Amino acid sequence: ITSLNIPVILEGYPADQLSEADEVFITSASRGVMPVTRIDELPVGTGVPGPLTGLIRSEFELFLQSEVEPV
């Protein structure tokens, strides 16, 4: 994410290694950025949404507020 100086790698990530990640989130047009705290009953990182996920989620919300017209 260029404006936040966060490197982005556009590649797949093996599902069996997700539990080893510090943070995991999923994105969609309708739900934005959603933290993932558990995979197959195992915690991801500390088991709570991480600071990077929170930052990306906040920045996305700000972007939406500034760019999307209300309906």
Side-chain angles (χ1 to χ4, degrees), residues 38-64:
R38 300 184 78 71
I39 298 174
D40 292 335
E41 302 304 319
L42 297 173
V44 173
T46 61
V48 296
L52 187 58
T53 301
L55 175 62
I56 294 169
R57 189 177 196 181
S58 294
E59 289 295 316
F60 183 68
E61 290 294 324
L62 288 172
F63 169 77
L64 288 180

Side-chain angles (χ1 to χ4, degrees), residues 6-59:
I6 299 170
V8 176
I9 301 169
L10 300 175
E11 295 179 0
Y13 196 84
D16 63 339
Q17 293 179 17
L18 285 174
S19 63
E20 299 171 18
D22 294 330
E23 296 183 45
V24 174
F25 61 87
I26 58 175
T27 62
S28 73
S30 61
R31 296 190 185 236
V33 179
M34 297 297 297
V36 175
T37 58
R38 300 184 78 71
I39 298 174
D40 292 335
E41 302 304 319
L42 297 173
V44 173
T46 61
V48 296
L52 187 58
T53 301
L55 175 62
I56 294 169
R57 189 177 196 181
S58 294
E59 289 295 316

